[in-house]
Amino acid sequence: MTDVIIIGSGMAGLSAALYTARYELSTLVIGAELGGATSTAWTIENYPGFKAIDGYDLIIKVKEQVEALGAKVIADKIEKITSPPAGGDGGFKLTGESGEEYLAKAVIFTHGAARRKLNLPKEDDFSQGKGVHYCTTCDGPLYKGKTIAIVGSGDASVKGALLAVQYAEKIYMIVRGDGLHPEPINGERLKPYLGTKVAVLPNSQVKEILGDSRLTGVKLANDQELKLDGLFVEIGAVPEMELVESLGVKLDPHGYVAVNNMMETNIEGVFAAGDATNFFGHFKQDITAAAMGSVAATSAFNFLQKPKS
């Protein structure tokens, strides 16, 4: 029986483990992909203590810190969770994709959210190394000297373009609305490339993905065709809540885990932090994820100190 199991090994999960371990609670951090969105980030310049650091390097530093305190980080995906039996002290039972079973007195959900897709034919087939990607930071360097397109108008798409201008020959930015809407500093950084390496296509959307065995281009809603070597979909993420809902955890109106200011859910012994919640609205950053993780860990500690009737 573990004191606390943290589902998700991104910044929120590792930060929660940092605190549960310091509280001397036995802790398991279980996640399919170490670091989540942070590990795929390019250069992070807004995390305290670092002028600039690669996202994966930051995650490794936190992981090493957590493990030094005694917490264990496990690569697995939790597929099932059940509540403790009524009147018993059996704890939450979690089953991983590996078939391994885990028991915990308290659970913290920090599993983040899944990337949004275009939901077009061939998209899934071509996402297996055949031209369709969901992280410019991760896979963009594969397209040195090539032509790519980035779908999206927000800060993630613009940051992706800022990375891609270092190696791609041409970048199309496919935008459904009237223009780009990044953080001001990133919008300014992109300006020197507009009209040269970067072409913004407003009021556009992808209607069809072209190619037989791999992507060769896209057709837009106005029937314009773009010849491409790679397509990057940067249109945000959606929370995956089937596991959470199976416990009876309430969601907020936006489909995220509903928490109070101490990261407590409506289920005793269950907490949530990071992008799994909408506590800070659309402002989802490593620093807020770390803060929420530490609060969730503190609430879990307080919960475990209560005498059980």
Side-chain angles (χ1 to χ4, degrees), residues 180-247:
L180 301 173
H181 303 284
E183 289 186 16
I185 188 172
N186 291 321
E188 288 298 317
R189 288 172 175 171
L190 189 65
K191 279 184 178 180
Y193 303 102
L194 296 176
T196 53
K197 266 198 169 186
V198 179
V200 179
L201 306 177
N203 303 308
S204 302
Q205 63 184 92
V206 178
K207 180 172 72 173
E208 183 180 351
I209 294 174
L210 306 176
D212 295 323
S213 58
R214 65 160 289 124
L215 176 130
T216 59
V218 297
K219 180 182 286 188
L220 304 182
N222 63 1
D223 288 331
Q224 178 185 0
E225 291 189 10
L226 302 176
K227 290 185 178 181
L228 302 173
D229 299 295
L231 176 69
F232 293 83
V233 182
E234 297 277 10
I235 54 176
V238 290
E240 294 180 342
M241 292 302 164
E242 289 184 14
L243 190 64
V244 176
E245 288 183 292
S246 70
L247 273 182

Side-chain angles (χ1 to χ4, degrees), residues 3 15 30 44 74 81 95 97 108 110 115 132 141 143 162 205 209 213 233 240 251 303:
D3 288 328
S15 298
I30 304 175
I44 295 175
I74 298 173
I81 181 170
T95 304
E97 188 177 52
I108 303 176
T110 66
R115 299 276 183 163
V132 177
Y143 293 89
L162 286 170
Q205 63 184 92
I209 294 174
S213 58
V233 182
E240 294 180 342
L251 306 184
F303 164 73

Side-chain angles (χ1 to χ4, degrees), residues 173-179 200-204:
M173 301 198 71
I174 302 172
V175 180
R176 292 190 67 173
D178 57 358
V200 179
L201 306 177
N203 303 308
S204 302

Side-chain angles (χ1 to χ4, degrees), residues 150-168:
I150 300 175
V151 181
S153 62
D155 198 57
S157 62
V158 171
K159 288 171 74 173
L162 286 170
L163 173 62
V165 293
Q166 299 182 52
Y167 43 77

Side-chain angles (χ1 to χ4, degrees), residues 5-9 28-34 72-80 94-102 111 243:
I5 287 182
I6 299 165
I7 302 174
S9 54
L28 293 182
V29 181
I30 304 175
E33 296 180 5
L34 177 66
K72 295 182 180 180
V73 181
I74 298 173
D76 200 355
K77 181 179 181 181
I78 299 301
E79 293 190 327
K80 184 179 180 181
L94 296 80
T95 304
E97 188 177 52
S98 65
E100 191 74 25
E101 292 186 344
Y102 312 90
H111 57 290
L243 190 64

Side-chain angles (χ1 to χ4, degrees), residues 31-306:
E33 296 180 5
L34 177 66
T38 302
S39 65
T40 65
W42 178 29
T43 302
I44 295 175
E45 299 176 331
N46 57 2
Y47 196 83
F50 301 96
K51 289 183 179 179
I53 186 170
D54 178 82
Y56 185 75
D57 291 341
L58 177 59
I59 283 295
I60 291 299
K61 287 180 180 294
V62 183
K63 175 177 179 286
E64 290 173 347
Q65 186 179 10
V66 162
E67 290 177 327
L69 290 168
K72 295 182 180 180
V73 181
I74 298 173
D76 200 355
K77 181 179 181 181
I78 299 301
E79 293 190 327
K80 184 179 180 181
I81 181 170
T82 56
S83 299
D89 58 355
F92 295 91
K93 182 178 179 181
L94 296 80
T95 304
E97 188 177 52
S98 65
E100 191 74 25
E101 292 186 344
Y102 312 90
L103 293 175
K105 298 175 184 176
V107 174
I108 303 176
F109 283 98
T110 66
H111 57 290
R115 299 276 183 163
R116 290 185 187 273
K117 295 185 176 182
L118 298 174
N119 296 318
L120 293 173
K122 301 182 181 179
E123 183 176 3
D124 288 339
D125 293 337
F126 288 177
S127 67
Q128 306 300 315
K130 297 179 181 179
V132 177
H133 308 270
Y134 300 91
C135 177
T136 313
T137 305
C138 314
D139 303 322
L142 299 172
Y143 293 89
K144 185 174 182 179
K146 304 292 186 180
T147 299
I148 67 171
I150 300 175
V151 181
S153 62
D155 198 57
S157 62
V158 171
K159 288 171 74 173
L162 286 170
L163 173 62
V165 293
Q166 299 182 52
Y167 43 77
E169 180 69 24
K170 181 72 176 181
I171 303 165
Y172 293 100
M173 301 198 71
I174 302 172
V175 180
R176 292 190 67 173
D178 57 358
L180 301 173
H181 303 284
E183 289 186 16
I185 188 172
N186 291 321
E188 288 298 317
R189 288 172 175 171
L190 189 65
K191 279 184 178 180
Y193 303 102
L194 296 176
T196 53
K197 266 198 169 186
V198 179
V200 179
L201 306 177
N203 303 308
S204 302
Q205 63 184 92
V206 178
K207 180 172 72 173
E208 183 180 351
I209 294 174
L210 306 176
D212 295 323
S213 58
R214 65 160 289 124
L215 176 130
T216 59
V218 297
K219 180 182 286 188
L220 304 182
N222 63 1
D223 288 331
Q224 178 185 0
E225 291 189 10
L226 302 176
K227 290 185 178 181
L228 302 173
D229 299 295
L231 176 69
F232 293 83
V233 182
E234 297 277 10
I235 54 176
V238 290
E240 294 180 342
M241 292 302 164
E242 289 184 14
L243 190 64
V244 176
E245 288 183 292
S246 70
L247 273 182
V249 173
K250 291 182 180 179
L251 306 184
D252 69 12
H254 303 285
Y256 292 84
V257 180
V259 293
N260 62 17
N261 61 358
M262 290 304 294
M263 302 298 119
E264 297 168 323
T265 72
N266 62 300
I267 302 295
E268 190 175 48
V270 178
F271 312 88
D275 289 359
T277 79
N278 206 37
F279 190 75
F280 287 103
H282 296 295
F283 190 70
K284 301 184 186 300
Q285 301 285 305
D286 281 313
I287 191 169
T288 55
M292 286 188 279
S294 66
V295 173
T298 301
S299 291
F301 172 74
N302 291 336
F303 164 73
L304 293 173
Q305 303 315 299
K306 294 179 181 178

